Amino acid sequence: MGKTYKIAVMGGDGTGPEVAAEGVKVLKAAADKFNFNLELTDFDYGGDRYMRTGEVLPDNAVEELTKHDAIFLGAIGHPDVKPGILEKGILLSLRFALDQYINLRPVILYPNVDTPIKDKGPEDIDFVVVRENTEGLYAGAGGVLKKGTPDEVAIQESINTRKGVERCIRFAFEYARKRNKRKQVTLCGKTNVLTFAFDLWERAFYEVAKEYPDIKTDYAHVDATCMWMVKNPEWFDVIVTDNMFGDIITDLGAMIQGGMGIAAGGNINPEGVSMFEPIGGSAPKYTGKNIINPLAAIGAAQMMLDHLGESEAALAIENAIRWVVAEKLDSLSAGKMGYGTREVGDLVAGAV
Ligand code: IPM
Ligand code: MN
């Protein structure tokens, strides 16, 4: 009998529960095949619960979630709830409370998937963004004065701690070593303008780099990073960056890898409880239609198994995704896959 993993499943809002269900389907297939057990517990955190109860997260949420080995999340974001409430109250709260200080976002173009970048193929688009996930502009530092008056002042500060920056950079170097591809880490920053924050990042980067003589270093400003991601994505292996830049460049990354339908990510606390999610939103307009692409959620499930140490199972899921996109799907876009949400889940689960 293999190991047992306790997984908290948060379907969330909109199409979140649908894609999470397909992820769970594939997880179960992998558990059968690779001889481990899953103890799944559903959590109803999200917009509907908020509208019913008036609370975004119950007081014991963090305590309950930390009883699990990992969290599997569908999507957060409800059309009837003002933007920001659920995102900050659930997603960001959990990232912070569980100290998930890494947001790991692979950008991989699978064979036969369309990329908007002319003349680039799977051999060119294969890198990963290590986004700092608990600090920067997301820390919530700042405030407003004289709100609603002509003298209004709004300040939003970027918090960068040596500890937070260094652990993120170190994770990136370790990851480049583990990936064992180009063995290169690119720091994405803005040292020419944000001379306080990225001075800290730059110094930490080159100091940590000394511990990794086998890994090449590279630096690009964030604007240039956007340019190179489109022009020469093959230059990248591991990109490390702050929270805000990481948020922006990973949506660009999702587009060059074929869209939100396939983009997965992990909110990782290497010493604690990590949370895996498709990086696209809840896409409420597609809710209940069985047309949303579940592959990003399935990819998140794959990352979760890899993180838990089930690397064989993770590889089997990755290969199954590759096969499904190469041989079966017409497109990765919702409603154009040639299959429904559940059928895509069946295909991947069957291939596993
Ligand atoms: C993401 C999302 C979130 C973020 C939002 C929903 C708060 O865009 O995971 O990238 O900005 O981090
Ligand atoms: Mn984002």
Side-chain angles (χ1 to χ4, degrees):
M1 228 38 239
K3 283 193 188 163
T4 297
Y5 301 102
K6 296 172 78 151
I7 308 294
V9 180
M10 289 170 52
D13 302 319
T15 52
E18 289 169 61
V19 296
E22 300 315 308
V24 165
K25 186 189 280 177
V26 173
L27 283 169
K28 285 181 174 163
D32 280 349
K33 166 90 193 196
F34 293 93
N35 215 28
F36 58 88
N37 308 295
L38 296 167
E39 216 178 285
L40 303 165
T41 311
D42 276 311
F43 288 83
D44 67 350
Y45 306 152
D48 287 332
R49 182 179 198 285
Y50 170 67
M51 289 195 298
R52 207 170 59 238
T53 65
E55 68 183 2
V56 270
L57 278 180
D59 293 339
N60 67 351
V62 170
E63 194 191 322
E64 285 305 311
L65 290 170
T66 45
K67 292 178 185 156
H68 296 78
D69 296 306
I71 303 165
F72 184 53
L73 170 66
I76 296 293
H78 196 290
D80 302 332
V81 181
K82 191 174 157 224
I85 294 178
L86 301 170
E87 293 86 340
K88 285 178 89 169
I90 300 178
L91 191 59
L92 299 184
S93 287
L94 290 178
R95 287 176 183 172
F96 293 169
L98 299 170
D99 201 22
Q100 294 163 339
Y101 60 87
I102 299 296
N103 197 324
L104 187 66
R105 299 188 161 184
V107 179
I108 301 170
L109 179 67
Y110 287 129
N112 274 358
V113 172
D114 279 339
T115 173
I117 307 187
K118 191 167 162 279
D119 298 334
K120 296 290 175 189
E123 61 292 351
D124 304 304
I125 301 174
D126 181 0
F127 61 92
V128 50
V129 178
V130 175
R131 163 185 175 189
E132 201 292 321
N133 210 31
T134 55
E135 304 190 341
L137 282 167
Y138 280 66
V144 283
L145 276 177
K146 305 184 185 175
K147 188 166 179 165
T149 75
D151 295 327
E152 180 164 351
V153 180
I155 297 175
Q156 194 97 43
E157 287 164 314
S158 175
I159 305 288
N160 298 264
T161 68
R162 173 72 199 209
K163 176 183 159 191
V165 167
E166 192 173 317
R167 65 185 181 176
C168 177
I169 289 171
R170 184 162 278 111
F171 184 95
F173 277 93
E174 289 290 335
Y175 202 81
R177 195 177 261 174
K178 183 173 155 222
R179 243 171 90 81
N180 199 22
K181 291 198 170 161
R182 301 193 62 211
K183 301 188 106 182
Q184 172 188 295
V185 181
T186 302
L187 172 63
C188 163
K190 192 71 187 175
T191 53
N192 53 348
V193 176
L194 306 181
T195 49
F196 308 131
F198 281 98
D199 178 59
L200 192 167
W201 274 84
E202 195 177 32
R203 277 181 287 116
F205 182 72
Y206 288 109
E207 277 167 41
V208 171
K210 287 191 196 133
E211 298 166 34
Y212 298 87
D214 51 323
I215 309 293
K216 293 186 286 291
T217 57
D218 181 26
Y219 172 81
H221 295 320
V222 61
D223 45 356
T225 303
C226 291
M227 180 175 81
W228 299 129
M229 275 173 70
V230 173
K231 193 168 181 293
N232 293 98
E234 70 279 5
W235 287 357
F236 295 116
D237 180 23
V238 174
I239 298 177
V240 64
T241 192
D242 83 348
N243 208 341
M244 187 77 256
F245 292 166
D247 177 49
I248 298 166
I249 70 170
T250 54
D251 267 28
L252 177 57
M255 287 305 119
I256 70 171
Q257 75 180 119
M260 286 301 182
I262 189 111
N267 301 276
I268 294 175
N269 175 344
E271 297 88 37
V273 182
S274 300
M275 176 165 76
F276 297 83
E277 54 172 340
I279 82 172
S282 57
K285 65 180 176 192
Y286 299 133
T287 306
K289 299 199 160 99
N290 194 39
I291 60 174
I292 189 85
N293 187 344
L295 286 177
I298 294 170
Q302 176 239 318
M303 291 181 74
M304 180 170 79
L305 289 184
D306 197 44
H307 176 79
L308 292 170
E310 294 293 336
S311 40
E312 250 190 294
L315 188 64
I317 297 178
E318 190 185 330
N319 288 333
I321 295 174
R322 271 178 200 278
W323 172 77
V324 169
V325 297
E327 305 291 338
K328 296 286 174 186
L329 301 195
D330 297 340
S331 155
L332 297 183
S333 305
K336 299 184 184 145
M337 298 187 290
Y339 293 86
T341 306
R342 288 187 291 275
E343 288 65 40
V344 174
D346 290 341
L347 283 170
V348 180
V352 166

